[in-house]
Amino acid sequence: MTEIVLRPLADAFMQVGVYVAVMVALFGWLRWRYGDRVTDGLTRHRRLGPLVGALLGVSPGCGGAIILMPLYARGKVSFGTVIAALVATMGDSSWVVMAWNPMFALKIHTLLFAVGLVTGYVVDALGIDPARGVRRRPDAVPTPVGAAVVPTPVGSAPAPAPVGSAGPGGVLAAAAVPDLAGSRRMFGGVLSQVPASTAFWGLTAPAFVVSVPVLFQLVDPAVLTRALGGVDPYLALGVLGTMLATLIFAAGRGRLADDSLETAHPRSIGATMRHSAHEASFITVWVAVAYLAWQVVTSTTGFDGSQIALGGLLGVLVGAGIGLIPGCAVQIVFTGLYVSGGLPLPTLVANAISQDGDALIPLAALRRHSALMATVITTIPAVAVGSALLLLL
């Protein structure tokens, strides 16, 4: 029972969740503090679009790529900039590989950045832009279903408008925050749960203190267990952490807090920390699902991954195909299988390049045809690079 169920649950939090939480909070703070400066500079230097797009996309999580979508809808950045970001992004799967192996994460993110950069400039050089004809019409800013056009973002009248919202008459809410009211209804319950987020960080702090020496083999876990009278702190904190993450996940109805433009622009450090707790919980739960499923399979069938059919060209095609699925949940599970030893590297790389994370959601709300073309385009370098790795490895 302990090794089949409890150990995978503990590993999900202690090996991934605590490190994801720390990194999500760090990048959330950087986004809150400096995000607008990056995008403001981007609109002034359009030729650097794919370069900046790849940089924003390769940053862990989905927020960097998300903030480009309203800029593209208003014609501030090129379609190649969007493609560069979508190719470079690994979505929230980034947190999984970063927590598992930072050096490996650096290598794969460098590869994603290079592929995104090249693909973005190629798209611009070919003049591909599905929204070009739409933008020729005056004030052709799409209004997603359910979005309200208001002069300023809800709850931020005295604050400056979000990036990409410039324009007379305040057309901003429709262009920059699709279905803002729906997003608040969707995530407001979790984001307002201050006690839950406080408990999450209160548990994460000691878990991080225990996890670092245990994972880096600086301390024998048995020594800690004896010192605490037979209580294994790694197992106890890990299981409690995953259970708390599951409660936060369930309170949010299984939805990620980072798939809207509103949450990509946190208004305060408090909101950033609450959002970070929610996002880390979301990732922890799906990693736990992958870990638990893999442990059950290997324990009951003896399957260790060497018999897997997702190798060779078939694996590359399957990885790229799964990358077509919007959102991050499936991609997190897929990456978790690789971390568990269940997938070959070319399959993971094909999936990492093809997936668009949650950035595709606001793009689809703003420019549906562009979103469809973008997700198809990103599969081309995914299959090409994945196939090249088959020859090289």
Side-chain angles (χ1 to χ4, degrees):
M1 174 68 176
T2 298
E3 294 302 317
I4 294 179
V5 178
L6 298 183
R7 184 65 61 180
L9 295 180
D11 287 342
F13 186 70
M14 299 297 280
Q15 294 181 5
V16 177
V18 293
Y19 300 97
V20 166
V22 172
M23 290 183 291
V24 167
L26 173 61
F27 278 90
W29 179 82
L30 290 173
R31 189 187 308 160
W32 167 70
R33 185 69 176 82
Y34 299 108
D36 288 347
R37 298 183 185 180
V38 175
T39 51
D40 287 346
L42 175 60
T43 59
R44 291 195 299 267
H45 305 283
R46 288 177 61 92
R47 292 183 180 180
L48 298 178
L51 172 61
V52 180
L55 285 171
L56 289 172
V58 82
S59 62
C62 300
I66 285 175
I67 60 179
L68 289 174
M69 302 311 155
L71 299 180
Y72 167 71
R74 296 191 62 83
K76 300 295 185 180
V77 299
S78 67
F79 190 57
T81 301
V82 169
I83 293 296
L86 294 179
V87 169
T89 188
M90 199 175 174
D92 288 289
S93 302
S94 297
W95 304 118
V96 179
V97 293
M98 289 178 70
W100 170 66
N101 189 328
M103 288 306 300
F104 173 78
L106 177 62
K107 293 176 182 178
I108 195 171
H109 282 83
T110 300
L111 175 63
L112 290 173
F113 170 76
V115 176
L117 180 65
V118 172
T119 307
Y121 275 113
V122 168
V123 167
D124 278 351
L126 295 176
I128 301 174
D129 187 353
R132 182 183 294 111
V134 178
R135 293 201 199 96
R136 287 173 183 163
R137 300 197 305 268
D139 299 327
V141 179
T143 303
V145 177
V149 178
V150 296
T152 55
V154 176
S156 60
V163 177
S165 64
V171 197
L172 120 83
V177 187
D179 197 7
L180 179 59
S183 296
R184 291 203 164 180
R185 287 193 303 271
M186 186 180 298
F187 306 123
V190 172
L191 295 179
S192 64
Q193 290 179 3
V194 179
S197 63
T198 301
F200 179 85
W201 292 114
L203 185 62
T204 297
F208 184 80
V209 171
V210 172
S211 175
V212 171
V214 170
L215 291 184
F216 288 93
Q217 300 180 353
L218 302 176
V219 174
D220 185 353
V223 174
L224 294 177
T225 301
R226 286 195 299 270
L228 294 176
V231 176
D232 184 345
Y234 180 95
L235 186 66
L237 289 171
V239 172
L240 286 174
T242 298
M243 291 177 62
L244 179 58
T246 302
L247 291 176
I248 296 175
F249 176 88
R253 301 180 182 179
R255 298 183 177 96
L256 184 61
D258 200 31
D259 64 355
S260 75
L261 291 160
E262 182 184 24
T263 54
H265 290 85
R267 296 291 182 184
S268 67
I269 191 62
T272 298
M273 297 305 291
R274 289 192 296 273
H275 166 68
S276 298
H278 184 198
E279 186 171 0
S281 297
F282 179 93
I283 296 168
T284 299
V285 167
W286 283 111
V287 169
V289 169
Y291 277 21
L292 184 59
W294 187 249
Q295 184 64 34
V296 170
V297 170
T298 55
S299 299
T300 57
T301 67
F303 181 83
D304 61 2
S306 60
Q307 311 94 327
I308 200 157
L310 293 181
L313 182 59
L314 175 61
V316 170
L317 294 176
V318 170
I322 291 178
L324 291 169
I325 301 173
C328 291
V330 174
Q331 319 304 338
I332 292 172
V333 173
F334 200 75
T335 304
L337 289 177
Y338 174 81
V339 170
S340 301
L343 295 175
L345 179 61
T347 300
L348 173 71
V349 170
N351 175 261
I353 295 173
S354 176
Q355 65 168 287
D356 304 318
D358 291 302
L360 197 67
I361 297 172
L363 179 60
L366 294 167
R367 302 288 183 192
R368 294 184 182 179
H369 184 59
S370 297
L372 177 61
M373 181 173 289
T375 196
V376 171
I377 288 176
T378 57
T379 60
I380 298 174
V383 173
V385 175
S387 301
L389 285 177
L390 290 175
L391 300 177
L392 295 174
L393 299 179

